[in-house]
Amino acid sequence: MNLHRTRDINVDKTSENLRPMYTALPKNRKGLLDHATARYALHRYFLFKHAMYLRGLEPAKDAVNRSSKDVPDDEVPTFLQLMFEDDSMMASTSHENVTAEQLEQVMDIYLFGLLGGAAPDGSIDMSALQSAHLTHPIWPNVQRFLRKAQNDVLTKTHGADYPRDQALVPFSSAVRVLASFTEAFGSWQNQDCSGMSQELSKFDTKGTGRVKLADFYQAGWRYKETKDYLLAIGAAEEISTGGDGSKEVRVLIPNYVTARANCLTSTSVYEVCCIDQCEMLLGALERELEAPVAKASQIADLVSRLPSPSVEAPRVLPNSLMLRLHQIAKAHRKRVPLHSRLFAQWMHHAYPRECPFPAVSGTTKPMSAADWMNATGNSASLTQEEVDDFVKSAMTKMDEVQMKDLVDSDWESTLPWLEDEELVFSHPQASLLEE
């Protein structure tokens, strides 16, 4: 079987997608990406293009020195290896063709593994696959989406009159079906993520990207995570609301939506998660600037003309945002590093419903509900009775306390701002030192 040909199908497209980011990323003295920066780029790419959170690519300090050679071979799921190594599935290696029935079987196995149906060793239980519609509620919808991808590829490649039931499908077409489905799956499943953002935004009356915890619990049936769990994973913040020491918990919409708590499924290698909507905005800046750093005035001009689903453009940036941006530039010799915690924080203030608030490393720990249960012994979710009691108590307190109302043009200055800086590329480089 000639795998070299199949591996090259989407290489050009992937290179084209990565080029703007690569151009804008900081390089070392040899003009190359270091390990941490390369991992950061791949993490962004897979999460944005395929909604996949790959283990080992997490942009965390404790993974900085881990290189690709440190990843054990057995971390590659067996069901993915079967896609290319099992002759019984991929039919004859001499003719490189598969029947329509074989193609659908292979696609279903791939889909079942993608949804977390593989065993710990990566193998697939075929009897479990037959009952996937019972164990995975979304199976029928995803399977229909997969069949559509298969039909679209065959129609585009062989014409609308191609006899799908009788004809053999070339192996190259089978790989194109898999590539097409993988390419589009992230966007397809992200529709539910967009729905969550819209549901929570209804309670964000000030446009801060935040909702009170009581409102969070009233936004829909799915919102039941405990306060402690939300705070631990960085999906919520606790702020003081008055001089009496009282505090209030607010859920950060983009942090919650992109949290691993909302990942669709999980395997030993990756999780299928919600796409970070801020990636689209940062990518637009990278394409325009083509550099890892830029003047504050350049960034302000671009952002003032860059719309998002919740922010109209063109717009005049508030004075508080302009001040913060110039402060970042001042800390870096009059240049703003695009791939830094402070700039990510600034982007959160500029697009509070799309860009997550970047926690300082070590202050939060992204984890699933199951991981939280194993680590703490506590459930990550409230019962419906507990939710009702919390909301009732919160409503009573709201009637007793008159909250200060902020004018719409001044809310940015009231949002949290942490001065801690972190850079994707931590070594000195000329572009950051030149004025």
Side-chain angles (χ1 to χ4, degrees):
M1 184 180 296
N2 182 10
L3 292 183
H4 295 289
R5 178 159 52 95
T6 62
R7 288 170 184 160
D8 292 338
I9 289 177
N10 281 326
V11 170
D12 290 342
K13 187 174 182 180
T14 300
S15 298
E16 181 181 349
N17 290 331
L18 282 169
R19 187 172 294 110
M21 186 197 308
Y22 177 82
T23 300
L25 282 170
K27 315 294 192 304
N28 58 26
R29 291 185 177 89
K30 296 182 180 180
L32 303 174
L33 302 180
D34 70 355
H35 290 302
T37 310
R39 185 177 55 253
Y40 164 83
L42 290 174
H43 171 77
R44 282 178 54 190
Y45 175 78
F46 279 103
L47 191 55
F48 182 67
K49 295 297 293 184
H50 304 295
M52 288 184 176
Y53 189 105
L54 270 63
R55 304 183 192 278
L57 294 183
E58 301 95 332
K61 284 189 174 181
D62 59 358
V64 164
N65 294 321
R66 187 182 186 191
S67 64
S68 58
K69 65 181 180 181
D70 297 321
V71 181
D73 293 336
D74 59 9
E75 286 189 11
V76 180
T78 302
F79 77 87
L80 285 179
Q81 295 180 21
L82 289 176
M83 294 297 299
F84 300 102
E85 296 176 359
D86 194 329
D87 289 347
S88 66
M89 286 186 182
M90 300 314 295
S92 171
T93 59
S94 59
H95 295 91
E96 295 189 354
N97 293 331
V98 295
T99 66
E101 182 179 356
Q102 287 173 321
L103 176 58
E104 291 188 356
Q105 180 187 22
V106 171
M107 295 299 107
D108 283 348
I109 289 174
Y110 173 76
L111 177 59
F112 193 59
L114 185 68
L115 296 180
D121 64 356
S123 62
I124 296 291
D125 182 346
M126 297 306 291
S127 62
L129 175 60
Q130 297 302 317
S131 59
H133 63 287
L134 300 176
T135 56
H136 294 74
I138 68 169
W139 177 264
N141 290 335
V142 184
Q143 190 181 48
R144 280 194 294 271
F145 180 71
L146 176 58
R147 295 288 183 266
K148 182 179 183 303
Q150 177 178 327
N151 183 70
D152 290 346
V153 169
L154 295 181
T155 298
K156 182 177 180 180
T157 306
H158 304 286
D161 298 330
Y162 189 69
R164 292 164 178 73
D165 295 333
Q166 295 85 19
L168 291 175
V169 179
F171 179 74
S172 60
S173 295
V175 175
R176 287 191 182 94
V177 171
L178 176 61
S180 176
F181 171 75
T182 304
E183 177 79 15
F185 179 68
S187 297
W188 179 84
Q189 70 89 27
N190 199 60
Q191 296 174 19
D192 188 53
C193 303
S194 299
M196 283 193 290
S197 182
Q198 293 172 8
E199 288 174 345
L200 294 174
S201 294
K202 294 177 181 177
F203 294 88
D204 177 23
T205 58
K206 298 297 179 184
T208 63
R210 290 156 169 76
V211 296
K212 298 175 182 177
L213 192 56
D215 291 335
F216 170 77
Y217 289 137
Q218 297 181 85
W221 60 269
R222 67 178 112 197
Y223 307 110
K224 290 184 172 64
E225 287 85 354
T226 66
K227 177 189 72 173
D228 291 341
Y229 176 58
L230 291 171
L231 290 171
I233 64 175
E237 63 186 9
E238 194 168 35
I239 61 173
S240 299
T241 57
D244 59 353
S246 58
K247 293 185 177 181
E248 180 181 65
V249 174
R250 296 181 183 177
V251 177
L252 291 81
I253 295 175
N255 292 62
Y256 174 78
V257 172
T258 58
R260 291 170 70 178
N262 289 313
C263 292
L264 179 64
T265 187
S266 175
T267 74
S268 62
V269 177
Y270 64 86
E271 295 172 283
V272 179
C273 304
C274 291
I275 294 174
D276 184 352
Q277 296 303 311
C278 197
E279 173 63 27
M280 175 181 62
L281 301 168
L282 181 57
L285 295 180
E286 289 174 330
R287 286 190 295 274
E288 290 292 331
L289 296 170
E290 297 183 327
V293 296
K295 293 180 179 180
S297 58
Q298 289 178 285
I299 294 175
D301 177 63
L302 290 173
V303 169
S304 69
R305 295 184 283 110
L306 183 61
S308 75
S310 67
V311 175
E312 295 182 355
R315 58 170 168 159
V316 177
L317 298 182
N319 290 335
S320 54
L321 273 180
M322 293 300 300
L323 177 61
R324 295 294 191 190
L325 188 60
H326 283 284
Q327 287 175 339
I328 298 174
K330 184 178 180 180
H332 294 281
R333 302 294 181 88
K334 299 183 180 180
R335 295 292 189 275
V336 177
L338 300 185
H339 311 97
S340 65
R341 200 205 74 82
L342 284 180
F343 184 65
Q345 185 173 226
W346 188 86
M347 286 292 286
H348 168 70
H349 285 218
Y351 301 95
R353 291 182 183 174
E354 285 81 23
C355 295
F357 182 86
V360 176
S361 294
T363 60
T364 63
K365 188 175 183 180
M367 65 180 82
S368 66
D371 292 336
W372 170 262
M373 170 73 82
N374 292 334
T376 67
N378 300 320
S379 173
S381 300
L382 299 176
T383 65
Q384 187 58 52
E385 182 179 358
E386 290 172 329
V387 168
D388 293 339
D389 289 342
F390 180 89
V391 171
K392 183 178 180 179
S393 175
M395 293 300 102
T396 300
K397 292 180 180 179
M398 286 182 63
D399 291 337
E400 297 174 352
V401 179
Q402 183 177 3
M403 302 297 292
K404 177 183 178 182
D405 191 20
L406 300 171
V407 295
D408 292 341
S409 62
D410 194 41
W411 61 261
E412 293 92 346
S413 62
T414 69
L415 295 181
W417 183 271
L418 304 179
E419 296 293 346
D420 304 76
E421 179 63 300
E422 297 171 11
L423 300 174
V424 170
F425 187 94
S426 59
H427 303 295
Q429 48 181 326
S431 59
L432 284 178
L433 298 177
E434 294 176 353
E435 296 188 7

